[in-house]
């Protein structure tokens, strides 16, 4: 891989406890990656036998009873909160799409503003923030290349000089679409933009976009931090496993963990790659974060659990664990929250 002279994180004379020591990579750096990242898998991918069982059980979508709550899904679009360079605010646009405002920047995570994605019914709640109401987008973070997280029609709406931060191996896909500032990162690597640092961290997942590119690019989550030491963790798509404790050890004192709680049934099929609500609470505890915001539900019907079940189970698990109710930021689609100073 290409080496270069690095500069330290702005506002930090040295790495705080738990901060990985590596300096940020250069923005837009062209790098050479291995042909496959299959050695990073933490569980085997489903084979023909599993797919045959899934088809036989017809367990890919909720039954009629499970769909009855669609009209009660939490959807409450509101104007984006006013912010300044000292404000940390998050807005849930739906699924894994968040508008993160930190250090004076506006950052999108896994932006999907399309009504429909490949192989999935149309979204069951509208996007929480109309595209035309977004402020200037300073950066986009991508967790992995699955269609519900990497949406080409949405990215086409962006200026081609928008900085994209993507997993290792995904840069070529972005550059083919004429984006000019694409920064690819391996696990535990970081890059910096305008005093905000983006660290790419592991997840229990996989990647695939076509029949021929399984695990050809990496997958993971992001830790976003400003020069004042505020940090949030965006998990992307992940099953439960050992990485949460490791992330919490390397990044102590996370202010917010944004964690997936949906697309988990049937468990025999999805447990390795999608946390269920109880596992999300356990992941929050492993991370040692101060607050949690759930995502990856109430937007697309991707699996067999009833559409309202993820939030109900999450609230029950949260209460049983004894966590303060105010630390669960269970926002409606379109809702926002500003982190207290």
């Amino acid at each position: 891989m290409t080496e270069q002279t690095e500069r330290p994180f702005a506002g930090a004379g040295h790495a705080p406890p738990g901060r990985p020591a590596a300096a940020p990579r250069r923005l837009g750096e062209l790098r050479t990656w291995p042909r496959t990242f299959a050695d990073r898998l933490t569980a085997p991918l489903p084979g023909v036998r599993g797919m045959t069982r899934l088809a036989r059980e017809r367990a890919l979508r909720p039954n009629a009873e499970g769909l009855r709550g669609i009209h009660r899904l939490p959807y409450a679009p509101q104007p984006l909160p006013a912010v300044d360079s000292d404000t940390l605010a998050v807005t849930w646009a739906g699924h894994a799409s968040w508008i993160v405002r930190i250090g004076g920047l506006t950052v999108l995570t896994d932006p999907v503003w399309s009504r429909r994605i490949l192989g999935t019914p149309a979204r069951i709640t509208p996007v929480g923030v109309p595209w035309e109401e977004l402020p200037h987008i300073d950066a986009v973070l991508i967790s992995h290349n699955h269609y519900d997280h990497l949406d080409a029609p949405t990215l086409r709406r962006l200026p081609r000089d928008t900085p994209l931060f993507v997993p290792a191996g995904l840069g070529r896909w972005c550059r083919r679409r004429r984006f000019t500032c694409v920064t690819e990162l391996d696990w535990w690597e970081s890059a910096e933009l305008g005093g905000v640092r983006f660290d790419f961290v592991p997840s229990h997942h996989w990647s695939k976009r076509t029949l021929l590119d399984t695990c050809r690019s990496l997958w993971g989550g992001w830790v976003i931090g400003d020069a004042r030491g505020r940090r949030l963790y965006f998990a992307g798509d992940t099953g439960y496993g050992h990485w949460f404790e490791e992330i919490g050890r390397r990044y102590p004192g996370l202010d917010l963990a944004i964690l997936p709680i949906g697309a988990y049934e049937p468990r025999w099929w999805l447990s390795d790659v999608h946390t269920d609500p109880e596992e999300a609470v356990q992941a929050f505890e492993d991370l040692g974060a101060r607050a949690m915001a759930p995502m990856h539900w109430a937007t697309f019907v991707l699996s067999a659990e009833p559409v309202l079940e993820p939030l109900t189970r999450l609230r029950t698990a949260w209460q049983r664990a004894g966590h303060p109710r105010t630390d669960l930021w269970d926002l409606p689609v379109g809702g926002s929250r500003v982190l207290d100073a």
Side-chain angles (χ1 to χ4, degrees):
M1 298 179 187
T2 306
E3 300 293 335
Q4 84 271 332
T5 301
E6 313 274 9
R7 58 191 179 91
F9 178 46
H14 60 277
R19 165 71 72 180
R25 306 293 307 194
R26 189 179 71 240
L27 293 179
E29 176 186 5
L30 294 176
R31 304 173 67 179
T32 301
W33 300 106
R35 181 173 175 81
T36 178
F37 293 92
D39 60 323
R40 309 289 186 93
L41 292 169
T42 47
L45 295 177
V48 174
R49 183 176 299 177
M51 297 180 71
T52 302
R53 177 183 173 184
L54 188 70
R56 184 175 65 249
E57 294 181 359
R58 299 181 181 179
L60 194 58
R61 298 287 184 266
N63 57 25
E65 179 69 22
L67 291 171
R68 282 187 180 178
I70 282 182
H71 68 285
R72 291 185 282 124
L73 288 169
Y75 175 72
Q78 303 166 358
L80 294 176
V83 300
D84 57 28
S85 61
D86 292 329
T87 304
L88 172 56
V90 295
T91 301
W92 189 31
H95 203 53
S97 302
W98 291 80
I99 302 153
V100 178
R101 305 167 87 186
I102 182 172
L105 301 185
T106 298
V107 180
L108 295 184
T109 68
D110 289 356
V112 180
W113 259 250
S114 297
R115 181 174 176 270
R116 186 185 296 273
I117 57 174
L118 184 67
T120 300
R123 61 195 307 147
I124 53 178
T125 51
V127 180
V129 182
W131 187 264
E132 58 273 13
E133 294 183 12
L134 290 174
H136 171 76
I137 303 304
D138 298 292
V140 172
L141 306 182
I142 301 296
S143 65
H144 66 297
N145 72 353
H146 288 159
Y147 282 88
D148 58 322
H149 294 257
L150 177 62
D151 183 52
T154 299
L155 292 184
R156 279 199 294 268
R157 298 185 178 198
L158 293 164
R160 294 306 185 268
D161 61 352
T162 303
L164 305 185
F165 297 88
V166 304
L170 196 53
R172 181 178 298 178
W173 186 94
C174 300
R175 295 185 187 100
R176 283 203 305 265
R177 285 150 183 85
R178 295 184 286 113
F179 284 94
T180 59
C181 184
V182 182
T183 303
E184 297 173 90
L185 297 179
D186 202 343
W187 288 348
W188 309 122
E189 291 186 336
S190 67
E192 181 193 334
L193 177 70
V196 175
R197 178 161 165 158
F198 306 98
D199 290 66
F200 190 55
V201 296
S203 69
H204 299 270
H205 206 60
W206 64 302
S207 70
K208 182 183 179 68
R209 199 167 176 88
T210 71
L211 292 174
L212 302 175
D213 67 351
T214 302
C215 296
R216 294 286 181 87
S217 62
L218 198 50
W219 51 90
W222 293 93
V223 174
I224 311 169
D226 66 10
R228 296 180 60 186
R230 295 174 299 187
R231 289 193 294 220
L232 66 86
Y233 165 61
F234 167 74
D237 216 349
T238 181
Y240 179 74
H242 70 287
W243 285 127
F244 294 111
E245 282 192 0
E246 180 64 15
I247 292 166
R249 186 185 70 80
R250 295 194 185 212
Y251 302 90
L254 290 166
D255 294 291
L256 175 65
I258 303 176
L259 294 166
I261 66 166
Y264 51 79
E265 288 290 350
R267 293 311 284 152
W268 65 263
W269 174 258
L270 292 169
S271 64
D272 292 330
V273 293
H274 289 164
T275 51
D276 64 22
E278 293 78 14
E279 290 170 334
V281 173
Q282 183 61 59
F284 164 77
E285 295 172 351
D286 294 349
L287 290 160
R290 299 188 176 115
M292 172 185 165
M295 65 167 180
H296 207 264
W297 80 286
T299 309
F300 295 106
V301 178
L302 300 173
S303 56
E305 73 272 4
V307 293
L308 288 175
E309 183 181 276
L311 186 60
T312 301
R313 284 176 53 175
L314 175 69
R315 288 172 172 171
T316 300
W318 189 265
Q319 183 179 26
R320 286 178 178 169
H323 299 303
R325 183 62 180 86
T326 53
D327 292 343
L328 180 60
W329 297 9
D330 46 348
L331 300 175
V333 175
S336 300
R337 188 76 178 261
V338 179
L339 182 72
D340 294 333

